[in-house]
Amino acid sequence: MSRNPFVSSNANTFIQNWSLDAVLKSIPATTVASPNSPLAFLHIIERLKTTPREGWRRHGILQGESISDHMYRMSVITMLCPPEHKVDKDRCIKLAIVHDMAEALAGDITPPDNIEKAEKHRRELESMQYIVNTLLKPISEVIANDFMDLWTEYETGKTPEAVFVKDVDRFELICQTIEYEKKYEAQKDLKEFLHVREGIKNDFVKRWVADALSEREAFWRNAGIESIVP
Ligand SMILES: Nc1nc2c(ncn2[C@H]2C[C@H](O)[C@@H](COP(=O)(O)O)O2)c(=O)[nH]1
Ligand SMILES: [Mn+2]
């Protein structure tokens, strides 16, 4: 049975010794008749549905959310953007849906992996270029460029849309942190994830986070445990 190395227990070893070739060798080839079939692309992004977000696994949450679970809720959160905040809302949804797509091949690299920022970018760029050039271009050059432009916009983080969606990435992680602390009935203190709030730029997202942190504080107080946010 072909296995996704990022799902196996030695996912972290795979992350430390990653190569695109090694990942591609672990994926059965897609042989299809029509040259512009989307199948090969769809089989690769299926891995987003089956690859758990690595950060939680370190805390013993082995059946946690997948990468696509995270991107799905982010895309919904972008739809809650206040109407008066002038960004291209539809583009924000697309940015959320595409931003971690490279992780289907690069894996979900976490800060404790201690992979240099430049190396993380290299892996994700190489993975995204494979997806775009090998899997999407045969379907349509225009479609391929659209995906690459979206990924690059998020990665570069310069446009108001990209800044907002990065805020949402961080806010979604904070929500999931609190949800897992509740799910495990205060048996897991996941405060280490809350550092991401420091990078949030938009005031209305900061207010969402403040609400989430006060909910978390009440939860831990009711559990009779002090979990001071670092
Ligand atoms: N164990 C930790 N994992 C963390 C921390 N901060 C982020 N993360 C995880 C969350 C995701 O699995 C991954 C990055 O997610 P992206 O959406 O940015 O690709 O890293 C942490 O402090 N500890
Ligand atoms: Mn993300």
Side-chain angles (χ1 to χ4, degrees):
M1 180 175 84
S2 75
R3 59 180 184 75
N4 174 347
F6 300 122
V7 178
S8 63
S9 53
N10 64 349
N12 188 259
T13 316
F14 202 84
I15 290 263
Q16 292 303 325
N17 307 294
W18 184 87
S19 77
L20 182 57
D21 281 351
V23 176
L24 293 175
K25 280 200 185 81
S26 72
I27 301 170
T30 302
T31 48
V32 282
S34 51
N36 59 355
S37 161
L39 274 182
F41 169 65
L42 297 179
H43 292 334
I44 291 291
I45 62 165
E46 182 263 353
R47 296 158 64 89
L48 297 168
K49 300 202 294 178
T50 54
T51 304
R53 287 247 287 168
E54 192 57 31
W56 311 118
R57 282 157 57 99
R58 296 169 169 279
H59 291 266
I61 302 172
L62 304 180
Q63 306 296 327
E65 59 160 353
S66 68
I67 297 167
S68 54
D69 291 334
H70 158 64
M71 292 199 282
Y72 169 71
R73 186 160 65 165
M74 277 181 61
S75 57
V76 173
I77 296 171
T78 64
M79 296 170 71
L80 305 179
C81 180
E84 63 275 13
H85 186 64
K86 296 301 171 212
V87 285
D88 179 338
K89 306 266 194 317
D90 292 343
R91 190 159 183 83
C92 290
I93 294 172
K94 289 181 180 178
L95 284 168
I97 289 171
V98 169
H99 87 285
D100 278 343
M101 184 170 279
E103 294 182 8
L105 296 173
D108 180 27
I109 297 169
T110 69
D113 291 325
N114 290 319
I115 302 288
E116 287 291 316
K117 196 161 181 260
E119 170 59 12
K120 178 176 186 285
H121 174 75
R122 184 195 70 77
R123 294 182 186 188
E124 291 173 352
L125 178 60
E126 188 183 3
S127 301
M128 202 60 200
Q129 284 170 336
Y130 174 83
I131 290 170
V132 167
N133 296 328
T134 309
L135 305 177
L136 287 173
K137 265 200 181 131
I139 302 171
S140 149
E141 182 122 9
V142 172
I143 292 172
N145 291 338
D146 284 351
F147 273 82
M148 197 63 192
D149 291 349
L150 283 162
W151 185 83
T152 306
E153 180 175 342
Y154 180 85
E155 192 70 9
T156 316
K158 292 271 184 294
T159 64
E161 287 78 12
V163 169
F164 169 52
V165 176
K166 184 64 194 168
D167 280 359
V168 170
D169 180 75
R170 294 178 165 123
F171 174 58
E172 199 281 333
L173 177 62
I174 291 167
C175 292
Q176 193 64 64
T177 299
I178 296 163
E179 286 149 358
Y180 281 143
E181 289 180 329
K182 287 181 179 174
K183 176 178 179 179
Y184 289 91
E185 297 174 339
Q187 298 306 305
K188 294 182 187 295
D189 183 340
L190 301 172
K191 62 171 167 290
E192 79 176 61
F193 289 84
L194 301 178
H195 68 91
V196 296
R197 73 189 187 286
E198 287 139 27
I200 292 177
K201 301 282 187 303
N202 286 285
D203 287 344
F204 66 91
V205 182
K206 288 179 185 171
R207 284 194 292 275
W208 290 346
V209 169
D211 280 350
L213 295 184
S214 54
E215 179 199 19
R216 179 178 185 272
E217 203 182 309
F219 166 73
W220 282 97
R221 196 183 321 110
N222 292 341
I225 304 168
E226 191 119 34
S227 172
I228 309 295
V229 177

